Amino acid sequence: MRVLVVGAGISGLAAARGLIAAGHEVVVLEQAQELRLGGGAITLWCNGTAILADLGVGLDGVGQRLTTLCLRTARGRRVLEFDLEALAQRFGSAARVIPRGSLITLLESGLPEGTVRFGARVGELHADGDGVRVRTETGQEFSGDFLVGADGVHSRVRALVLGGGQAALTGAAVWQGLTPAPFDPGSTTTLMVGRQGDFGYMGAGDGLMQWFFDVPWSPGPPPEDKPLEMLRRRFAGWGAPVEQMLASLGDGDAEVFPHTRHQVPRRWGDGRCVLLGDAAHGMPPVMAHGTNQALEDVATLVECLGAVPDPRAVVGVYSSRRRRRAALASTVASHALAVSGPRTVMQSEHLIRLNGATPPRLATRGFGLLLRALSNRI
């Protein structure tokens, strides 16, 4: 088939690679004038790296392989540890942190020249029994047999196909950055949890560190014009290495991204149009399931297109195979360690006390079971 993919982010480019490998002709429509390579680093769990390997994306030497996930209190006391290397052996693929720009570049480099059409913001979309037609805001027209909406949490395709349903704010936001590492984090990703919010950090390769602060957030007050001062006040008194991390940052290093969440729809599209990734199920970045779930969508959609004879029937099969797992991932991300109010702070502290008695082997087994529950691939 001739497939139109809207969006040249990670999910859109991954979908293009998978669809081309399956024998389809693909055109990717991207509203920006060039690839957008910013946005920090991405944590890929075992399922995400397995799917990228299936797509022929080699990750050796890119980013940082993770061997351990560690949960600490605000004072720095270790309460829970997961052996990610053991899970890599079990699932045949390792967890890894990769700068988003590096992953975008890897995905795009495997596409035929001219696959991505830039400056192509979708204005109108028409679909019928025979195919789909897109008209951009600049008057360009594209037609195909099938359309994939991979255009992010504020998806234009979702609005045109499903109508309404903007992602809702959750009451939290993440301040994050990808900067030169002020110390060597090794191959461990660390999350510290306290009443003031959450702080996490991990190496991203090439001397870089991905770090983040999750804090309560409301769209009402004026935008924070001095975020580092706010973070230093809010996280004062926390254990190492919070003070060292904040001292290493300069103006412009911290970007804010409000947490948002979609209600996961029962049907991820209509007729010959489907959604994937954040366009279908935008979720908070807590526990880093968003990109991994988007890659799960890609793998499942490519498989469904090869197995279902009628393109108009794909949306039903695809939705049924992915909805439960994506909804579970969204629930986990929204409630596991959120900081949106006193109740969730109490839940976080209860989890810390409860997990403090959990042996690493048992904790690792539980995390492996969670990854399997969220994955069609592993």
Side-chain angles (χ1 to χ4, degrees), residues 303-335:
E303 186 176 341
C304 288
L305 283 170
V308 180
D310 185 352
R312 293 168 297 183
V314 167
V315 62
V317 177
Y318 164 65
S319 302
S320 65
R321 291 183 62 181
R322 284 293 304 138
R323 183 183 184 278
R324 181 179 64 83
R325 288 181 171 89
L328 176 60
S330 179
T331 299
V332 169
S334 299
H335 297 291

Side-chain angles (χ1 to χ4, degrees), residues 28-277:
V28 179
L29 306 179
E30 167 57 44
Q31 64 177 347
Q33 298 300 321
E34 59 185 6
L35 291 176
R36 290 178 285 188
L37 303 179
I42 303 295
T43 297
L44 298 169
W45 301 122
C46 303
N47 55 327
T49 55
I51 292 168
L52 287 171
D54 294 342
L55 295 174
V57 181
L59 301 179
D60 290 343
V62 182
Q64 172 66 57
R65 178 171 175 145
L66 296 177
T67 62
T68 310
L69 170 61
C70 185
L71 175 66
R72 297 179 180 270
T73 67
R75 295 292 185 181
R77 180 174 63 87
R78 184 173 62 186
V79 294
L80 192 61
E81 188 170 283
F82 306 92
D83 186 348
L84 300 179
E85 196 62 33
L87 294 181
Q89 295 297 319
R90 182 181 308 170
F91 295 130
S93 56
R96 188 174 289 271
V97 175
I98 302 177
R100 181 181 177 276
S102 298
L103 184 53
I104 289 282
T105 300
L106 280 173
L107 288 167
E108 193 272 339
S109 66
L111 298 176
E113 186 175 355
T115 298
V116 183
R117 312 293 175 86
F118 294 105
R121 178 177 172 82
V122 173
E124 300 175 12
L125 169 62
H126 301 281
D128 54 33
D130 297 323
V132 294
R133 299 182 304 281
V134 169
R135 183 179 177 87
T136 71
E137 292 185 347
T138 57
Q140 295 174 288
E141 295 188 356
F142 299 89
S143 62
D145 304 297
F146 200 79
L147 182 138
V148 178
D151 50 340
V153 70
H154 302 296
S155 170
R156 172 68 172 161
V157 174
R158 180 184 176 115
L160 291 172
V161 173
L162 298 184
Q166 288 290 322
L169 296 170
T170 69
V174 59
W175 288 92
Q176 68 171 33
L178 179 66
T179 56
F183 56 88
D184 183 6
S187 58
T188 297
T189 180
T190 300
L191 176 65
M192 300 174 67
V193 180
R195 288 184 174 274
Q196 294 78 17
D198 303 340
F199 165 63
Y201 63 93
M202 64 286 293
D206 296 325
L208 296 175
M209 179 180 289
Q210 172 70 25
W211 52 267
F212 62 87
F213 292 87
D214 281 325
V215 298
W217 184 85
S218 169
E224 186 66 54
D225 58 349
K226 296 183 179 179
L228 293 182
E229 291 186 11
M230 177 272 293
L231 293 172
R232 287 167 183 150
R233 289 194 307 270
R234 188 173 191 88
F235 290 89
W238 276 45
V242 176
E243 183 177 348
Q244 182 181 3
M245 184 73 247
L246 285 169
S248 74
L249 302 178
D251 293 338
D253 285 340
E255 291 185 277
V256 65
F257 298 92
H259 288 195
T260 57
R261 185 190 186 197
H262 275 130
Q263 180 176 352
V264 181
R266 289 195 172 276
R267 288 179 63 86
W268 293 9
D270 184 61
R272 292 172 177 261
C273 302
V274 301
L275 306 171
L276 60 76

Side-chain angles (χ1 to χ4, degrees), residues 357-369:
T358 305
R361 185 175 179 180
L362 183 59
T364 299
R365 183 174 183 272
F367 192 60
L369 291 173

